[in-house]
Amino acid sequence: MPRESKAAKIQRAAEIEQVMYELYGEGACSLDYRDPFTLTCAVVLSAQCTDAAVNKVTPTLFDAYPTPQALAGAKLEDVEAVIRTLGFFRAKAKNLIALAQKLCLDFGGVVPQDVDALQTLPGVGRKTANCVMCEAFRDPQGIAVDTHVYRIAHRLKLAGPSADTPAKTEAALLAVYPRDQWLFINHQWVHFGREYCQARNPKCAECPVGQKGLCPSFSPA
């Protein structure tokens, strides 16, 4: 593929988004939650774990600890027992309690509506912060780059070889997508990654993005 100009890449990104919107609309969050606090906890739990597995434990967790105040006073072993089926459950339980305590001490028990402030919470990195800003507050301050978004961005050549970290990949996407679309990208691409663009054996022959000539990695065979 010849070197693509910035203008051409922006136009192709817009056409890809049109296909994604036709497929998934704004996209739906795969995690079950009740409010910004429970969403933040659910996203923390989803690290290196499937959303389906998280959704199996969060009803019990949120019934027992529905607020930051309740979780801040929880016993570590009790939280561990609830989320024991998840990977890294000990570290996640510790982070959840510490997160709730910091919310109570520094933010009045309210999840902050700021991507930088969110990242001061234990267990919350930029991906989690972006998810919360988009899903809970509908105020996108970036694009959440998880494994699906990272993989798809590189297969679509919207991020180049030098964008070898989630942060660099996010920067590449922010450069080609307007802010009003940042809200949708993660949800849409997670669904797209599960349905078509899997890590192994992607379904290129069935892919509507590839069929429209928008994917440089398209391989219909």
Side-chain angles (χ1 to χ4, degrees):
M1 181 178 178
R3 184 174 180 83
E4 188 175 34
S5 70
K6 178 70 175 292
K9 183 176 288 189
I10 290 174
Q11 177 60 37
R12 185 165 61 88
E15 293 177 22
I16 291 169
E17 170 54 25
Q18 182 176 352
V19 175
M20 294 288 186
Y21 201 90
E22 290 171 355
L23 287 171
Y24 307 113
E26 294 187 5
C29 182
S30 299
L31 292 167
D32 297 334
Y33 68 97
R34 303 173 184 179
D35 50 37
F37 169 64
T38 54
L39 173 64
T40 305
C41 291
V43 180
V44 169
L45 290 175
S46 71
Q48 297 180 289
C49 184
T50 67
D51 292 350
V54 173
N55 289 339
K56 289 180 180 179
V57 304
T58 48
T60 301
L61 181 71
F62 298 158
D63 284 346
Y65 311 107
T67 65
Q69 292 80 3
L71 186 56
K75 293 181 180 179
L76 179 61
E77 58 268 28
D78 291 341
V79 177
E80 288 179 348
V82 175
I83 67 170
R84 185 172 295 274
T85 57
L86 305 182
F88 305 99
F89 72 91
R90 289 188 176 88
K92 290 177 179 178
K94 183 178 180 180
N95 279 335
L96 287 184
I97 293 173
L99 180 157
Q101 291 172 342
K102 188 170 181 64
L103 282 177
C104 292
L105 289 172
D106 295 349
F107 298 101
V110 177
V111 175
Q113 297 186 37
D114 178 81
V115 72
D116 294 321
L118 281 165
Q119 290 178 80
T120 67
L121 301 174
V124 176
R126 184 167 177 85
K127 185 205 80 170
T128 297
N130 277 328
C131 284
V132 173
M133 289 303 305
C134 286
E135 178 66 19
F137 302 124
R138 297 188 67 81
D139 180 16
Q141 296 182 12
I143 294 173
V145 177
D146 55 17
T147 56
H148 290 289
V149 173
Y150 185 90
R151 178 176 71 254
I152 294 166
H154 285 268
R155 283 185 177 166
L156 291 174
K157 307 298 185 189
L158 295 178
S162 62
D164 56 0
T165 66
K168 292 178 182 178
T169 299
E170 181 187 2
L173 294 175
L174 297 182
V176 296
Y177 281 105
R179 185 171 186 143
D180 62 348
Q181 292 179 359
W182 297 356
L183 195 66
F184 316 137
I185 300 298
N186 180 266
H187 288 337
Q188 291 172 337
W189 287 22
V190 166
H191 292 299
F192 181 72
R194 290 172 178 164
E195 187 172 359
Y196 296 105
C197 200
Q198 296 100 332
R200 297 181 180 181
N201 302 317
K203 298 178 181 178
C204 287
E206 303 171 22
C207 175
V209 174
Q211 289 171 356
K212 289 183 179 293
L214 300 172
C215 178
S217 303
F218 181 62
S219 178

